[in-house]
Amino acid sequence: MILVAGGTGTLGRYLVPLLITCAHQVRVLTRDERRADHLRAGGAETVIGDVRDQAAVAQATRDCTTVVSAVHGFAGPGRASPASIDCDGNRTLIRGAADAGVARFVLVSVLGAAPDHPMTLHRMKYAAEQTLNGSGLDWTIIRPAAFLETWIELIGGRLADTGQAIVFGPGNNPVNFVSVRDVATVIERSLSGTVSYGQTIDVSGPENLTFNQIAERLVAAGGSPGRTKHIPLGLLRVMSVLARPVSPGFARQARAAVVMNTNDMTSGRHNTPGDPPPTTLDDVLRGLVKPPAG
């Protein structure tokens, strides 16, 4: 039995059906009871609970051989944050897995995770990596680049209603983006024995794209008139501070956009023989990236 924590998130919504399609038994730990029926209908067991709750983690990890942590607090609701989810939540999950006798733990971290990274998410993911390294579990760490689907939603989420694609900052800095389809494939292959234990695997995408390029292609793919609206970099810096008390998730998104406009976020794609073709922005826009039926 494979436990997927974060099975209703951007990555989990693709990963869980993929694992089921590949004949894995899957259990999902989720806080979102509204999605539990859908998960069960797709063939997954569900445990309703929070990754920060030791009792819920104990229930979810019981009789599991493997745990996959796909949780994140980057834009979580309420008190969810990178510190509470990516650091503390993963620590609870790792310790619960060890207590339950789980054989292997796969942690979805982030490309560039480091203790001194300008983004909190990267610092908290690095802290979780250190906990996992010292846990005594057999482990694999997956470090994906920024999720393409997340930023398509942020940039183009209002395009149909307002005719505007929102670009955060100048939007000219190239950033590496990876599709959740490719990340899920790497995770499934690691669970199927093609990746040995004790490895940290960087998963980058095939394209380094600017926010402007994504916006332009979203507008073109929409098939109707549209335009790009920029949020000035200075305003993003102000919002990343002032929005913290009322909308901490939005404040983190604003801070992330500042970093992505001002830091080197590029990466090269290194395929190994047998890898499937990488998923491009055009693939996603053509509707080719859909969760497989469970």
Side-chain angles (χ1 to χ4, degrees), residues 25-45:
Q25 290 184 298
V26 180
R27 179 183 297 155
V28 175
L29 174 61
T30 177
R31 290 178 296 167
D32 193 344
E33 191 167 5
R34 294 171 302 172
R35 298 182 183 180
D37 289 342
H38 170 72
L39 293 169
R40 283 191 289 267
E45 294 184 14

Side-chain angles (χ1 to χ4, degrees), residues 153-240:
E153 177 62 27
L154 289 172
I155 293 171
R158 298 175 58 190
L159 185 58
D161 295 332
T162 67
Q164 294 180 339
I166 307 299
V167 171
F168 300 85
N172 295 317
N173 196 44
V175 175
N176 190 263
F177 293 93
V178 66
S179 170
V180 294
R181 173 183 179 177
D182 296 350
V183 180
T185 298
V186 170
I187 294 171
E188 195 284 322
R189 292 181 70 179
S190 75
L191 297 176
S192 298
T194 58
V195 175
S196 60
Y197 301 152
Q199 288 196 40
T200 298
I201 304 169
D202 292 345
V203 187
S204 55
E207 300 171 292
N208 295 313
L209 300 164
T210 67
F211 287 158
N212 284 325
Q213 288 173 324
I214 294 175
E216 291 164 3
R217 284 153 79 172
L218 283 171
V219 169
S224 58
R227 63 187 181 89
T228 297
K229 177 182 178 181
H230 286 79
I231 301 177
L233 195 61
L235 180 57
L236 286 171
R237 288 193 171 102
V238 171
M239 293 162 64
S240 71

Side-chain angles (χ1 to χ4, degrees), residues 6-230:
T8 57
T10 303
L11 172 60
R13 288 197 299 269
Y14 193 94
L15 176 62
V16 171
L18 176 63
L19 293 177
I20 292 171
T21 299
C22 294
H24 295 288
Q25 290 184 298
V26 180
R27 179 183 297 155
V28 175
L29 174 61
T30 177
R31 290 178 296 167
D32 193 344
E33 191 167 5
R34 294 171 302 172
R35 298 182 183 180
D37 289 342
H38 170 72
L39 293 169
R40 283 191 289 267
E45 294 184 14
T46 59
V47 173
I48 307 302
D50 196 300
V51 72
R52 296 165 287 185
D53 182 345
Q54 291 183 358
V57 168
Q59 179 185 357
T61 54
R62 187 178 299 121
D63 300 324
C64 287
T65 59
T66 302
V67 172
V68 178
S69 174
V71 301
H72 75 83
F74 175 64
R79 297 175 61 186
S81 69
S84 67
I85 300 296
D86 299 281
C87 182
D88 296 341
N90 270 318
R91 283 176 175 166
T92 301
L93 188 60
I94 290 165
R95 290 165 182 163
D99 291 343
V102 169
R104 188 178 190 187
F105 198 104
V106 178
L107 173 66
V108 181
S109 183
V110 62
L111 191 65
D116 57 351
H117 197 279
M119 288 176 60
T120 306
L121 176 67
H122 291 60
R123 298 195 299 272
M124 297 301 102
K125 289 288 194 186
Y126 179 82
E129 292 181 3
Q130 301 313 296
T131 299
L132 183 57
N133 285 335
S135 68
L137 294 164
D138 289 329
W139 56 265
T140 303
I141 294 171
I142 309 293
R143 285 182 165 185
F147 288 164
L148 182 58
E149 288 80 1
T150 296
W151 287 93
I152 284 176
E153 177 62 27
L154 289 172
I155 293 171
R158 298 175 58 190
L159 185 58
D161 295 332
T162 67
Q164 294 180 339
I166 307 299
V167 171
F168 300 85
N172 295 317
N173 196 44
V175 175
N176 190 263
F177 293 93
V178 66
S179 170
V180 294
R181 173 183 179 177
D182 296 350
V183 180
T185 298
V186 170
I187 294 171
E188 195 284 322
R189 292 181 70 179
S190 75
L191 297 176
S192 298
T194 58
V195 175
S196 60
Y197 301 152
Q199 288 196 40
T200 298
I201 304 169
D202 292 345
V203 187
S204 55
E207 300 171 292
N208 295 313
L209 300 164
T210 67
F211 287 158
N212 284 325
Q213 288 173 324
I214 294 175
E216 291 164 3
R217 284 153 79 172
L218 283 171
V219 169
S224 58
R227 63 187 181 89
T228 297
K229 177 182 178 181
H230 286 79

